Amino acid sequence: MVFNPHALGVHKVLKHIPLNALFDAPYKRRLAKAVNIADLRLIAKARAHKMVFDYLDSGADDEISLRRGKDAYSELEMHYKILAGIKPPLDLSTKIFGCDVKLPFFGCPTAGNRMFHWEGEAAAAKAAEKHGTLYGLSSLATTGITEIGQICNSPKVFQLYVWKDRELVKEVIAKAKEGGFDALALTVDFTWYGNRERDIRNDFSIPPKYSVAQIIEAFRKPAWTYDFLSHEPYTYACINTDVPADSLAAFVNSQLSPEFDWKDAEWLLGEWNGPAAVKGVVRPEDAVKAVETGFSTMWVSNHGARQLETSPATIDVLPSIRKAVGPDVEIIMDGGVQRGTDICKALALGADAVGVGKPYLWGLAAGGTEGVNKAYEILKVELDRAMGLLGTPTVDALKKEGPSLIKRRGASARDYPDIYAPERGYGGGIV
């Protein structure tokens, strides 16, 4: 029999012994002093179980695309205007999926948030509500659609994979409609499960396998471990709350439909009958085809560099997608974003909105709702500063003038990480 503390009811006992605040105290102090997103990453690394942190932090294969996704922003210079006559405060508001939001960036839908912190998706939803921006819920979330609908009154997008079971798809779509979700995002770059070698080396699974190595690491990370042991076990709450979460890779591989094609996408759009994004676009011709198929929004993404190794940096392909679909089609872009200047560059080069994944998840792993709010605040302040210094008082002005303000230059070895990079606050893709 495999040892499983939740099956033994350990969480039912520990939930009455509130030691979470004690274990989390040192991380809360560090969180209060965090200056940038890289600081949140280091706090998350210190607090979370290694297999959980590496699942969040890693990319596919040799992680070339993961590093490239961030490094690509370094090759884009911001040629600012002077004496622009801007009067604070700047206007960061815009529209996403036709809904008014106060920020042009938002937290991407990501799977299994409760493995990072017991608050899980609820923390991210509360932060989106507080900052008046879009919230994205994954169909592999560990918090249910109804619960998120009650927590978050901000605009919401529900992310869906290309599942084999159409009845499952229709059931989930119906739940999303009932839950007040404004838009649907079909993830199309996940027809196979990417090769994430950190997960393999760590023997990552949901739930944990409770190997000797995993148990030793759990003792090293008491804040995360007590979180995990004192709360209910994870379930894929958007699909079936009665079934405990199995191995993520095994479950996904059993449900994914690699043969899903444009005709299936047309069927899905008919079932949803509302604003919809195709998530995973990197080629202009695919963007054009998606528009013709009926998608309202192009979501430029390479799945956080976690799928196909050496897939392109999304900021590099963004201008070609904008050129292909014209000025009136909505474009969302995610990938490699760790600074407000990164968001500014993406908006300038053709994005209407920018998704962030790792930054808010590092915040979540570092400190729950407080950590996610910290991530939003850091990025908001950095974006506001970048737009002000660039000479663009509104998001619309940034998008209109952007192509003339952002210039590409050749790469420099000084742009990229070395062994001292973590000490300088360079985050992401560093083991």
Side-chain angles (χ1 to χ4, degrees):
M1 179 179 176
V2 177
F3 171 72
N4 185 329
H6 283 100
L8 297 174
V10 171
H11 61 289
K12 295 179 181 179
V13 176
L14 294 184
K15 71 179 182 180
H16 299 296
I17 309 173
L19 297 178
N20 305 74
L22 176 65
F23 289 128
D24 274 324
Y27 305 108
K28 287 179 71 71
R29 289 193 292 270
R30 289 183 62 179
L31 188 62
K33 297 178 180 179
V35 173
N36 56 28
I37 296 299
D39 287 346
L40 298 185
R41 176 183 177 272
L42 294 177
I43 301 168
K45 185 175 183 179
R47 182 185 180 277
H49 194 290
K50 177 175 171 54
M51 73 170 181
V52 169
F53 176 78
D54 279 352
Y55 168 80
L56 160 57
D57 198 58
S58 64
D61 294 6
D62 297 310
E63 302 189 349
I64 295 168
S65 290
L66 182 64
R67 293 189 294 273
R68 173 62 187 161
K70 174 174 172 55
D71 294 341
Y73 293 95
S74 299
E75 297 172 17
L76 297 172
E77 293 181 333
M78 306 179 82
H79 290 237
Y80 56 90
K81 301 187 297 180
I82 61 172
L83 301 177
I86 296 175
K87 183 179 180 180
L90 304 188
D91 183 5
L92 303 186
S93 66
T94 188
K95 288 181 179 288
I96 310 177
F97 292 114
C99 302
D100 292 321
V101 292
K102 295 180 181 178
L103 295 175
F105 65 91
F106 65 95
C108 290
T110 53
N113 286 190
R114 281 188 57 216
M115 80 172 83
F116 310 123
H117 190 281
W118 71 268
E119 292 181 89
E121 290 84 2
K126 290 174 184 176
E129 170 84 5
K130 178 178 179 179
H131 293 276
T133 192
L134 181 75
Y135 173 69
L137 182 68
S138 168
S139 53
L140 289 179
T142 46
T143 305
I145 292 170
T146 301
E147 184 177 347
I148 292 298
Q150 294 170 346
I151 291 171
C152 182
N153 292 316
S154 290
K156 296 179 287 292
V157 57
F158 184 76
Q159 175 274 332
L160 185 68
Y161 294 102
V162 287
W163 299 129
K164 292 177 181 177
D165 187 345
R166 284 199 172 190
E167 291 305 312
L168 173 63
V169 171
K170 288 195 286 187
E171 178 184 339
V172 171
I173 285 176
K175 287 181 181 178
K177 288 180 179 178
E178 292 172 8
F181 280 73
D182 302 278
L184 182 74
L186 176 66
T187 293
V188 295
D189 56 3
F190 200 66
T191 50
W192 270 265
Y193 198 87
N195 178 39
R196 302 160 195 180
E197 294 181 357
R198 289 202 231 175
D199 290 351
I200 297 170
R201 296 183 192 283
N202 291 330
D203 203 18
F204 172 82
S205 67
I206 304 173
K209 295 179 179 177
Y210 304 104
S211 65
V212 172
Q214 288 183 359
I215 292 172
I216 291 172
E217 174 66 9
F219 278 108
R220 291 172 177 160
K221 303 298 176 65
W224 179 90
T225 302
Y226 202 83
D227 250 10
F228 176 72
L229 293 177
S230 61
H231 291 88
E232 294 288 335
Y234 316 145
T235 61
Y236 292 132
C238 296
I239 298 173
N240 190 337
T241 56
D242 298 324
V243 179
D246 196 354
S247 162
L248 181 63
F251 178 84
V252 170
N253 281 327
S254 71
Q255 284 293 334
L256 285 179
S257 177
E259 63 270 22
F260 197 100
D261 61 16
W262 291 106
K263 288 294 183 182
D264 294 307
E266 285 184 22
W267 169 83
L268 179 65
L269 291 173
E271 290 292 319
W272 174 250
N273 194 29
V278 55
K279 183 176 181 293
V281 177
V282 296
R283 294 169 59 88
E285 54 266 45
D286 283 338
V288 172
K289 179 69 172 177
V291 172
E292 294 171 349
T293 301
F295 287 96
S296 60
T297 301
M298 304 300 104
W299 196 321
V300 181
S301 175
N302 64 6
H303 212 91
R306 297 163 68 79
Q307 287 297 100
L308 179 62
E309 177 64 302
T310 68
S311 58
T314 51
I315 192 67
D316 285 346
V317 300
L318 174 62
S320 67
I321 304 298
R322 173 53 73 196
K323 182 178 179 181
V325 300
D328 299 326
V329 174
E330 182 175 59
I331 295 178
I332 294 171
M333 191 216 78
D334 68 44
V337 173
Q338 291 186 29
R339 286 282 189 182
T341 50
D342 299 339
I343 297 171
C344 187
K345 290 171 183 178
L347 294 170
L349 292 178
D352 294 295
V354 177
V356 298
K358 286 182 170 65
Y360 88 85
L361 291 178
W362 286 327
L364 176 63
T369 300
E370 185 179 349
V372 181
N373 279 325
K374 186 76 171 186
Y376 271 105
E377 289 158 7
I378 287 170
L379 292 173
K380 179 181 178 181
V381 168
E382 290 182 347
L383 174 61
D384 184 87
R385 181 188 303 117
M387 287 175 57
L389 290 172
L390 196 59
T392 51
T394 67
V395 173
D396 285 342
L398 175 59
K399 292 193 292 186
K400 180 179 179 180
E401 301 180 57
S404 68
L405 300 174
I406 308 299
K407 305 292 183 183
R408 183 175 295 279
R409 61 161 173 80
S412 166
R414 290 174 295 179
D415 295 333
Y416 307 122
D418 53 42
I419 60 172
Y420 303 107
E423 297 174 16
R424 301 198 311 272
Y426 187 104
I430 301 171
V431 182

